[in-house]
Amino acid sequence: MLQKVRFLHTLFEKAVNGKGFDRFLKNVQILSYADGKCKAQFTVTEEHLNAIGTLHGGFTSSIIDVISSYALTSYQTGKPAGASVDLHVTFLKAAFPGEVVTVNAETIRAGKTLAFLAVELTKNDGKDVVARGQHTKYLVPIKK
């Protein structure tokens, strides 16, 4: 388990401190990571907003993609999580600046070539669902 946690820490640090797109994670905190699950949290700030002042759908989709991929790495042996095949997001409620959003991702099933993950973003201590996501990933075969 410690190896998996180290893997996530390294992956997360590279993302946050890198020059690529994953820098959007800089204000996201990983709360837990184990057994095919990953829980994260962030406070909605100006950088997360769309033109009407609510949590941007692109940010929501990206956080679903990344946190579910982290959940998958904890399910496997701490290896990279493969490639996205499908990402479906249902937006249910707006989130506003200052609100704390919790992201719960879970590996539903991982076979030889595909993994299926579910994600829920909530606010108000889980009382309100902001969005739900379903993520399918292709698992890259590991050469022996």
Side-chain angles (χ1 to χ4, degrees), residues 72-86:
L72 180 58
T73 65
S74 78
Y75 184 81
Q76 297 178 320
T77 57
K79 303 290 183 205
S84 295
V85 173
D86 180 61

Side-chain angles (χ1 to χ4, degrees), residues 1 9 23 34 41 59 68 80 89 119 123 141:
M1 181 62 188
H9 180 71
R23 288 180 295 164
Q41 197 170 63
F59 179 85
S68 64
V89 181
V119 183
K123 65 180 188 175

Side-chain angles (χ1 to χ4, degrees), residues 8 14 33 37 39 76 83 100 120 122 127 134 138:
L8 175 69
K14 283 183 181 178
Y33 170 79
K37 298 178 182 178
K39 185 175 184 177
Q76 297 178 320
V100 176
E120 191 169 78
T122 60
K127 293 180 186 110
Q134 296 174 319
Y138 169 71

Side-chain angles (χ1 to χ4, degrees), residues 35-37 68 71-73 75-76 81 105-118 135-139:
D35 304 320
K37 298 178 182 178
S68 64
L72 180 58
T73 65
Y75 184 81
Q76 297 178 320
E106 178 180 8
T107 304
I108 302 302
R109 182 181 186 287
K112 290 181 182 180
T113 58
L114 292 176
F116 303 91
L117 305 116
H135 192 189
T136 305
K137 296 207 70 147
Y138 169 71
L139 302 175

